[in-house]
Amino acid sequence: MNNLTENATLLTEKAADQDWWRGAVIYQIYPRSFQDTSGDGVGDLAGIAQRIPYIASLGVDAIWISPFFTSPMKDFGYDVSDYLSVDPMFGTVHDFDEMIATAHAHGLKVMIDLVISHTADIHPWFVESRSSKDNAKADWYVWADAKDDGSPPNNWLSIFGGTAWEWDSTRCQYYMHNFLTSQPDLNFHNEEVQAAVLDVARFWLDRGVDGFRLDTINFYFHDRQLRDNPSLPVERRNAKTAPAVNPYNWQEHLYSKSQPENVEFLRRLRALMNEYPAIAAVGEIGDSQRGLELMAEYTGGGDKMQMCYAFDFLAPEVPTAESVEEVFTTLRQASEDAWPCWAMSNHDVVRPATRWGDHVRDRTAYMKLLAGLMASLRGSLCLYQGEELGLTEADIAYDQLQDPYGIRFWPKFKGRDGCRTPMVWDGDDANAGFSNGRPWLPIPGEHLGLAVDKQDHVQGSMLNHYRKLLAFRKAHEALRVGTMSILKAEDGILIIERKAGDETILCVFNLSEERRDLKLDNPRIQAMGDHDFSGLYRDGIVHLGAFDAFFGKSD
């Protein structure tokens, strides 16, 4: 078979897999903390390639890799200074190509993190833009004159604290930054900016990536008139996307983000992606009040993004049967064809084993139950490295903090370092098999007992619970892509019905710490095995232990 024939065959196979993302499980890798092969204490792309067999053993469909581009690392890669290169701490472009080839050989798709709402302030685009008011890139970033009294143009706030405006003494203007002052926001109202970031996406598509995770997808556009954001009533405030101590939560961000122009840009991005077979994107929606509505807007209609995730299951509030029902009611009212991608953990939030597990007597049983619940919801699923091990949030001392967000809001908010500590592979090694050098963040002693080698061959371990659960999900079309109805959501009991074709599955969850017996209206339920839960069904009654689940097939 010649190369042309091989390429044609591959394109045909990929085209047939166009909807691989629907119901997929995506494993998020934070490369700094996954596996170090160079001995510098920071993970790298070669380390990801080395651990691909482990990832494949979980039964996931794809990996999402947090940024590895060249960066000054003030926000650990989410401040990009060169979109088309690999930062030397992570390796080389050749290492990236080898990693993709290894992932594909193991049947895994590869999605990369595109951070295009802002750049680093040392990016050549910004260096040129700030040099004068009349250079070729003068309008590539969001610049504005001061008010007559010298104060910033409006009241917009940065998520990382303080005003969203920074004075530049060269242009004698303010520039906008939604995050660190060293992360200036691109001006998406400029068509050249849109073309430039689309060229970035094309570069990596040409290198063989299967899709993107789009950082802060609703932050691309700002209000042209720079109108002040209104204050947000106290009763509408929450800590979904920013900690409660952050005054960012006190505004309704009507003008600083989530602008209507964003939809047309997402259509342009989707059109580019459609030039390649079987490409998908998942967008991160950072909005505490309208996250689900924006998810519906950005994924409905089939001409924008395939998936988005909001922060409803990443928030501090413990999920209840009623809150799960409310999420799906809101989403359904916004759009019938929206496609969510659920997550209860990522590199920005306190690990759920601490965030929610600290409130219960049996943390392990509770986290197993929540894993079963997430795997049963309509949509795709993101699984953050270490979540499958049941890792808790690390308690990092102030003098060891790396995250500028945590340093700014210490001690009420300790930042994101606690969920970013290195992956634990070998429980008998001081560095947990992560590195031969000193890890960039300390590895908690309590994580060593949860290492991969300590759980790998243990029946009923959290790791093997996830493997069994994901295999169960993959084996049933109704759980992957079926419709979903909530039949009961009260008093700690959540009953979900999933349907696809001739298959109907009843998923019953006991979110309480008490044993529960439930009478089912359908007497023709057949209990399903091949999962790790112990719920029983006898004589029309489902018997559930604390934090237990039951899955049954209905004919």
Side-chain angles (χ1 to χ4, degrees):
M1 185 181 290
N2 60 39
N3 287 340
L4 287 177
T5 304
E6 286 180 356
N7 288 339
T9 301
L10 287 173
L11 288 174
T12 300
E13 290 174 351
K14 290 191 79 175
D17 198 21
Q18 195 74 23
D19 283 342
W20 65 266
W21 53 271
R22 197 177 290 275
V25 179
I26 303 164
Y27 186 83
Q28 183 196 351
I29 297 171
Y30 192 69
R32 294 181 69 91
S33 299
F34 198 59
Q35 177 67 65
D36 171 29
T37 61
S38 67
D40 65 355
V42 176
D44 44 49
L45 294 174
I48 295 174
Q50 177 184 319
R51 297 297 186 178
I52 289 291
Y54 165 78
I55 300 169
S57 81
L58 299 174
V60 302
D61 303 285
I63 58 175
W64 145 29
I65 307 173
S66 289
F68 50 81
F69 314 108
T70 301
S71 165
M73 298 294 164
K74 292 183 179 178
D75 192 22
F76 305 104
Y78 285 90
D79 48 333
V80 180
S81 57
D82 184 354
Y83 286 110
L84 307 184
S85 68
V86 172
D87 194 283
M89 74 165 54
F90 296 126
T92 65
V93 171
H94 175 72
D95 292 330
F96 178 81
D97 293 339
E98 289 291 309
M99 182 272 299
I100 277 207
T102 303
H104 285 169
H106 283 78
L108 295 172
K109 308 286 187 184
V110 178
M111 308 176 80
I112 64 171
D113 218 323
L114 272 193
V115 188
I116 55 176
S117 69
H118 53 267
T119 69
D121 60 0
I122 64 170
H123 193 292
W125 296 348
F126 187 70
V127 171
E128 182 175 356
S129 185
R130 80 188 312 178
S131 66
S132 68
K133 293 183 181 180
D134 57 2
N135 65 78
K137 291 184 173 58
D139 191 43
W140 276 42
Y141 291 81
V142 185
W143 294 95
D145 292 329
K147 290 181 178 179
D148 291 343
D149 63 359
S151 60
N154 59 33
N155 70 344
W156 296 353
L157 296 175
S158 161
I159 290 181
F160 283 175
T163 175
W165 298 95
E166 179 72 3
W167 180 253
D168 181 75
S169 58
T170 300
R171 286 185 51 149
C172 286
Q173 285 183 305
Y174 284 97
Y175 67 82
M176 179 186 172
H177 60 92
N178 270 302
F179 299 93
L180 295 175
T181 58
S182 57
Q183 292 171 295
D185 274 63
L186 284 162
N187 178 18
F188 272 73
H189 291 292
N190 186 316
E191 291 284 335
E192 292 180 348
V193 169
Q194 293 189 36
V197 297
L198 290 173
D199 284 345
V200 170
R202 185 180 295 279
F203 174 86
W204 292 104
L205 289 170
D206 287 341
R207 291 211 84 87
V209 303
D210 301 291
F212 305 109
R213 179 265 187 180
L214 296 162
D215 185 64
T216 59
I217 193 173
N218 58 312
F219 282 66
Y220 297 159
F221 286 84
H222 65 285
D223 174 50
R224 283 183 182 272
Q225 300 177 52
L226 303 182
R227 286 171 283 188
D228 280 351
N229 285 326
S231 61
L232 188 68
V234 173
E235 63 272 14
R236 293 185 58 208
R237 296 176 191 172
N238 62 64
K240 285 183 182 178
T241 58
V245 295
N246 191 341
Y248 185 84
N249 293 322
W250 298 5
Q251 287 187 358
E252 185 162 15
H253 302 279
L254 291 182
Y255 301 115
S256 52
K257 61 184 181 183
S258 307
Q259 297 304 289
E261 295 94 331
N262 205 35
V263 172
E264 189 53 42
F265 172 73
L266 296 183
R267 289 194 178 102
R268 290 189 65 188
L269 178 55
R270 177 63 178 268
L272 168 62
M273 291 163 53
N274 286 346
E275 295 177 20
Y276 299 78
I279 302 300
V282 53
E284 175 201 31
I285 297 175
D287 192 290
S288 295
Q289 281 72 45
R290 298 195 301 128
L292 294 172
E293 289 86 345
L294 291 169
M295 177 195 292
E297 185 177 12
Y298 292 176
T299 64
D303 60 347
K304 297 174 285 294
M305 297 301 94
Q306 287 84 357
M307 308 168 278
C308 282
Y309 71 86
F311 280 70
D312 295 85
F313 297 123
L314 294 164
E317 290 77 21
V318 175
T320 64
E322 292 83 357
S323 68
V324 172
E325 182 178 41
E326 183 180 355
V327 164
F328 279 89
T329 298
T330 302
L331 187 57
R332 187 174 60 253
Q333 289 172 346
S335 173
E336 288 288 346
D337 67 343
W339 194 263
C341 185
W342 304 115
M344 61 179 179
S345 182
N346 67 24
H347 64 292
D348 281 334
V349 300
V350 173
R351 287 191 177 272
T354 296
R355 188 170 84 243
W356 296 332
D358 276 355
H359 305 294
V360 301
R361 293 191 294 269
D362 189 340
R363 185 202 306 268
T364 300
Y366 186 50
M367 296 317 300
K368 285 183 175 182
L369 176 69
L370 291 179
L373 170 58
M374 297 296 290
S376 303
L377 300 178
R378 178 180 180 273
S380 301
L381 185 63
C382 277
L383 176 64
Y384 177 52
Q385 65 181 54
E387 187 178 335
E388 76 278 15
L389 303 178
L391 296 188
T392 53
E393 184 82 353
D395 188 11
I396 307 297
Y398 181 79
D399 61 1
Q400 293 180 302
L401 282 186
Q402 304 285 329
D403 184 13
Y405 198 8
I407 293 170
R408 177 67 182 266
F409 287 103
W410 178 276
K412 292 292 186 179
F413 174 66
K414 298 182 178 181
R416 303 164 296 177
D417 290 331
C419 66
R420 296 177 174 183
T421 54
M423 186 72 172
V424 283
W425 303 100
D426 182 352
D428 296 322
D429 180 79
N431 291 339
F434 164 71
S435 175
N436 292 325
R438 181 180 179 182
W440 75 286
L441 278 174
I443 298 172
E446 62 268 23
H447 283 190
L448 296 177
L450 300 172
V452 171
D453 70 328
K454 299 297 184 183
Q455 299 194 43
D456 198 23
H457 301 294
V458 178
Q459 186 175 356
S461 68
M462 183 68 75
L463 173 57
N464 284 319
H465 174 75
Y466 265 96
R467 285 171 170 156
K468 203 166 186 179
L469 182 63
L470 296 184
F472 178 66
R473 172 187 166 96
K474 186 168 287 190
H476 296 283
E477 184 182 7
L479 293 178
R480 292 195 323 275
V481 298
T483 61
M484 175 175 148
S485 301
I486 295 181
L487 306 184
K488 181 182 178 67
E490 61 182 352
D491 193 26
I493 297 297
L494 181 66
I495 302 179
I496 294 171
E497 185 179 74
R498 303 294 310 274
K499 288 185 178 182
D502 296 331
E503 185 178 52
T504 298
I505 297 178
L506 201 65
C507 315
V508 185
F509 301 97
N510 179 12
L511 294 164
S512 78
E513 297 189 79
E514 309 299 328
R515 294 191 60 85
R516 305 295 289 274
D517 297 325
L518 305 171
K519 182 173 176 56
L520 294 184
D521 293 333
N522 186 348
R524 304 183 67 180
I525 294 289
Q526 296 179 356
M528 303 169 70
D530 298 325
H531 53 75
D532 241 1
F533 296 104
S534 57
L536 297 175
Y537 179 68
R538 279 195 300 264
D539 301 325
I541 306 291
V542 173
H543 304 275
L544 296 171
F547 301 140
D548 202 0
F550 169 82
F551 293 88
K553 236 178 199 181
S554 175
D555 55 17

